[in-house]
Amino acid sequence: MTTINIGIIGCGNRISGVARECARMDRGFRVVAVADPQGEALRAKHPELLKDAVFHAGEDGLLARKDLDGIMIGTRCLLHAPMAVKAAKRGLPLFLEKPVAISMPQLRALRNAFRRRGAPPVVVSFPLRVSPLVEKAKVIVDSGRLGTIEQLVAFNDVPYGDVYFGGWYRNWDEVGGLWLQKATHDLDYLAYLAGSKPKRVAAMNAQRVWGGTMPFGLRCRDCRKRKTCPESPFNSRSMIAPGARPGWRDWRLCVYAKGIRNEDMGACLIEYENGAQTVYHQNFFARRNAARRGARLYGYRGTLEFDWYAGTLFIHWHHRAKTERVPLPGQDAHFGGDAVLCRNFVDVLEGRCAPRTPIAAGLESALTCLKARESSADGRFHLVRMP
């Protein structure tokens, strides 16, 4: 069996999970190098995955290695683009976490690094695009049975939205806000289903529930309200069971703190180059059975709708009294898309095929999100165009 040697820059929970999925395929995938501030401490967290890994103090030492066949980038969001620009010079296949960039200068630098002839292939971490549900929807849309898709209405009601206010995701300078952190997934699969590039976007967002006047660094364990606050893991009637996340009682920060810039709700309108229109909203204070993530796609002949949380896909026919329920396979991490991404990345490493979620998709989605962020600030339509 041929060995595939991988270097990881930023070995957090997400990228380590992706790497483990790749290793399970029994195709010689192994991690031989890691650059991460946690260093050797990571080996104890991921003993099997990192048993062969050499730890480097920084990315330069890792990128200088001659034995690598591919690179995975799983740093905090603000470093995705800078690390990818550096990695591009090695010419090795790359797995890049989303969002691919969190500012326009980063996006331009990334675009320039991968637009040159001979740039390496990139698999962007967009599992929703390749999930079984979207794949099924894409086949139906492309068949023409619904007619031309004229309108898309999509929603993401996040039942775990508190993590973007009670942990490191609250640091706006690291994530760029929740258009880039969450909507980048959804705006990617919507453009994919619409079969067209975004032309212009108008958006609004607000912080109506989270945030407040408490100290920014206050942890729930140190708060005098920890027994009564509905968001405290020390409250027996908390919104989320304390056992839901390991170590939650230790690291949980106050979600009502001043200085949190993330929005807790947002909505946008998108017009595509082919004339189709999307309405999308995201909400971060919905809970439990209010959770939804999916869309409705309207054609003249029929409407297709799906919801990942419900695991359903329906076609409502307009010219006959019939609704079809389309069976879906079992859904695992990221609704089944993670496994597809990992297979695709290993195939790319072996030279078998091209990325299914290429760098062009990552750039387009990040650009749309950045323009939505700008529109949220100034209340105007923005052309989805690189300056």
Side-chain angles (χ1 to χ4, degrees):
M1 179 188 296
T2 303
T3 300
I4 303 173
N5 292 331
I6 298 295
I8 296 179
I9 301 174
C11 191
N13 290 333
R14 167 63 182 162
I15 209 72
S16 61
V18 172
R20 272 194 298 271
E21 182 68 31
C22 291
R24 287 192 194 105
M25 296 177 195
D26 196 25
R27 288 163 65 177
F29 183 102
R30 67 177 190 146
V31 178
V32 298
V34 173
D36 189 288
Q38 298 179 74
E40 282 279 353
L42 283 168
R43 202 187 302 275
K45 292 176 66 176
H46 312 292
E48 183 61 26
L49 178 68
L50 303 182
K51 63 183 179 182
D52 299 321
V54 173
F55 289 84
H56 294 266
E59 71 279 359
D60 292 335
L62 183 147
L63 291 172
R65 294 177 62 124
K66 302 301 183 184
D67 61 341
L68 297 182
D69 300 303
I71 298 168
M72 305 178 79
I73 295 177
T75 60
R76 296 282 173 94
C77 303
L78 82 164
L79 293 177
H80 289 171
M83 293 299 106
V85 169
K86 277 192 169 187
K89 298 174 183 177
R90 275 301 314 270
L92 297 174
L94 180 67
F95 186 97
L96 178 59
E97 259 305 320
K98 61 78 198 170
V100 299
I102 65 168
S103 70
M104 202 62 73
Q106 282 193 354
L107 197 67
R108 285 196 295 268
L110 190 64
R111 186 261 323 258
N112 292 339
F114 285 93
R115 75 190 307 184
R116 62 179 174 79
R117 186 183 298 275
V122 181
V123 174
V124 177
S125 186
F126 278 155
L128 295 190
R129 174 191 280 240
V130 296
S131 67
L133 194 153
V134 166
E135 288 187 321
K136 178 69 74 172
K138 182 66 170 172
V139 169
I140 295 169
V141 166
D142 289 351
S143 74
R145 295 169 62 199
L146 304 174
T148 303
I149 300 303
E150 309 290 359
Q151 187 180 38
L152 303 90
V153 176
F155 42 82
N156 186 10
D157 298 330
V158 185
Y160 51 88
D162 58 304
V163 303
Y164 299 104
F165 301 85
W168 72 266
Y169 285 108
R170 62 166 38 193
N171 299 322
W172 198 93
D173 291 338
E174 292 188 29
V175 302
L178 296 184
W179 285 119
L180 288 154
Q181 184 53 229
K182 292 299 288 180
T184 188
H185 278 303
D186 302 274
L187 300 190
D188 171 67
Y189 86 74
L190 289 166
Y192 176 61
L193 290 176
S196 184
K197 294 179 178 293
K199 179 181 178 181
R200 60 176 182 158
V201 60
M204 63 177 70
N205 60 16
Q207 187 188 95
R208 302 277 294 175
V209 173
W210 309 119
T213 59
M214 303 296 281
F216 186 78
L218 178 65
R219 295 188 182 274
C220 290
R221 68 187 182 196
D222 302 319
C223 181
R224 59 184 173 81
K225 298 180 181 180
R226 65 182 180 276
K227 298 291 188 182
T228 57
C229 176
E231 298 298 331
S232 169
F234 296 90
N235 179 358
S236 60
R237 296 184 178 181
S238 175
M239 288 286 193
I240 301 178
R245 303 188 193 109
W248 195 36
R249 290 164 69 98
D250 294 323
W251 59 254
R252 173 76 165 194
L253 290 160
C254 181
V255 298
Y256 299 115
K258 59 185 176 182
I260 299 176
R261 295 174 60 189
N262 285 342
E263 66 270 27
D264 53 36
M265 63 182 194
C268 69
L269 299 171
I270 300 173
E271 180 186 12
Y272 298 96
E273 291 178 355
N274 66 3
Q277 299 176 1
T278 278
V279 180
Y280 168 77
H281 84 255
Q282 56 184 8
N283 175 290
F284 295 94
F285 50 85
R287 292 295 175 85
R288 298 178 179 174
N289 290 337
R292 296 189 311 161
R293 194 171 195 175
R296 271 192 157 210
L297 283 65
Y298 298 84
Y300 174 63
R301 298 185 187 127
T303 293
L304 181 152
E305 69 173 319
F306 59 83
D307 182 345
W308 275 287
Y309 284 109
T312 58
L313 188 152
F314 294 98
I315 303 173
H316 307 290
W317 297 107
H318 294 175
H319 300 145
R320 49 192 167 127
K322 183 179 180 181
T323 292
E324 291 183 25
R325 185 183 188 278
V326 179
L328 295 170
Q331 299 186 49
D332 299 313
H334 266 107
F335 310 111
D338 280 358
V340 179
L341 274 183
C342 292
R343 285 196 299 273
N344 181 229
F345 182 50
V346 175
D347 285 342
V348 169
L349 288 165
E350 293 179 340
R352 295 172 181 266
C353 66
R356 296 186 59 185
T357 53
I359 189 64
L363 292 168
E364 181 179 280
S365 176
L367 177 61
T368 309
C369 291
L370 285 167
K371 293 300 181 179
R373 192 173 75 183
E374 292 176 13
S375 177
S376 298
D378 66 19
R380 299 179 179 181
F381 267 103
H382 281 253
L383 294 177
V384 183
R385 183 185 300 163
M386 191 82 76

